[in-house]
Amino acid sequence: MPRPVLLIHGGAGDIPDSRIAGKFVGIKQALRSAWGLLNPGDGSAGNALDAVEAAVKSMELDESFNAGYGACLNTSGQVELEASLMEGRDLRAGCITLLRDVMHPITVARRLMEKQRHTFLGGDAAQELALATGSKRLPPGALVTEGARYTLKEFQQQVAEGKDPFFARTEMADDKQGAPKPSTDPSGETVGAVAMDATGQIVVGTSTGGITGKWPGRIGDTPILGSGTYADNYRGGVSTTGHGETLMRYNLAQRILAAMEYKGLSAQEAADKECREMTKRLGGTGGAIVVGHSGDLGISFTSRRMAWGYVQDGTIFYGIEGQVVHQEPFTVPT
């Protein structure tokens, strides 16, 4: 019988020092809120779907992350949310985009998946599904934080100065300025979770507010199966984060799973290989968390930082920078 596994991320990007502490608190809280659903401790199998939804919902409530409350703003100063959820037994999935004034897009994605009629809804249709299945319509602007407003203001200032915040120039060998390539996502706070329960069921969920200064109507990699999210019990599960345009063009999640299946790589080896190849080819950066079908873990990123965490043997392991791993005893708040 497989051992339950829960691995989460809180985004990859140019995360500033000032946001590290909040991300660590949020990562640990998300793990605590979900672990009991995956590993009840009463002899039952637990449920990967419930655990993934709970972990992502916890981060959607936390303004330290770019999902739900605290999500990035588009050029109109609005929040447009997207999420996807997939299970690996029957390959069912629910994908939601351009959702407004609803707190938990990951829950809306689950409701769509469970209806089994369509896989992907956006805009007004996603809004109607959310409100018809129990989500509350929040007051306009309820998801907007001062931090998101400040970040948008910075973005607008860069544009006014003639800079393109979405692109960075690469240095050539002769020290001349190179051609522009897509940069890392500076917000770096998309959230995701991958879980495998004791039955071998693998579930993946990803949720985001996108990138600051995006055009209204822009859709990123998060709701696209094979780019932002994928689950297959025969291979594994992947949730990605980073520069969305790069991730969707490279189809990062599916490439990682293919490297595991066809090249015999471990979850870690496959994640390292494909994240590096993506950035080498396209210039944009990002990261991924991976759980293989045997329960092995992969955590990799080419961005400056990526927040991540998991529970193993009564200990929470978490990090955000390079090979630095923090750990502490796992406790559930009473």
Side-chain angles (χ1 to χ4, degrees), residues 40 153 236:
K153 186 176 180 180

Side-chain angles (χ1 to χ4, degrees), residues 37-226:
L37 299 170
L38 185 67
N39 189 37
D42 59 4
S44 60
N47 187 299
L49 183 57
D50 289 344
V52 164
E53 182 185 14
V56 173
K57 284 178 69 175
S58 177
M59 292 185 282
E60 287 175 338
L61 288 168
D62 189 335
E63 65 178 301
S64 294
F65 305 103
N66 173 22
Y69 181 65
C72 289
L73 304 182
N74 62 22
T75 53
S76 298
Q78 297 175 319
V79 168
E80 290 183 318
L81 303 171
E82 50 193 16
S84 58
L85 187 68
M86 186 173 185
E87 59 85 18
R89 180 174 294 116
D90 300 317
L91 306 184
R92 295 182 303 149
C95 305
I96 295 292
T97 192
L98 305 180
L99 189 67
R100 293 185 180 181
D101 301 324
V102 171
M103 180 62 77
H104 292 300
I106 194 65
T107 296
V108 183
R110 178 173 181 171
R111 293 174 189 151
L112 178 60
M113 181 185 78
E114 291 176 339
K115 283 187 173 296
Q116 299 187 52
R117 181 172 181 179
H118 300 303
T119 298
F120 202 154
L121 286 181
D124 291 343
Q127 201 79 16
E128 290 171 9
L129 173 68
L131 300 179
T133 55
S135 295
K136 294 182 179 180
R137 185 192 299 274
L138 301 174
L143 297 175
V144 178
T145 63
E146 286 304 314
R149 289 192 182 96
Y150 178 78
T151 304
L152 178 61
K153 186 176 180 180
E154 281 190 322
F155 173 92
Q156 293 168 332
Q157 181 62 38
Q158 288 180 300
V159 172
E161 293 171 357
K163 300 175 183 177
D164 188 340
F166 290 129
F167 286 83
R169 303 196 70 86
T170 56
E171 295 295 330
M172 304 294 283
D174 59 0
D175 292 331
K176 293 181 180 179
Q177 197 73 3
K181 287 189 175 183
S183 68
T184 185
D185 176 358
S187 59
E189 290 140 16
T190 293
V191 306
V194 185
M196 182 172 69
D197 60 33
T199 71
Q201 171 74 312
I202 296 174
V203 176
V204 181
T206 313
S207 178
T208 191
I211 51 179
T212 296
K214 63 183 181 178
W215 290 346
R218 177 263 189 186
I219 298 169
D221 66 293
T222 291
I224 299 176
L225 300 181

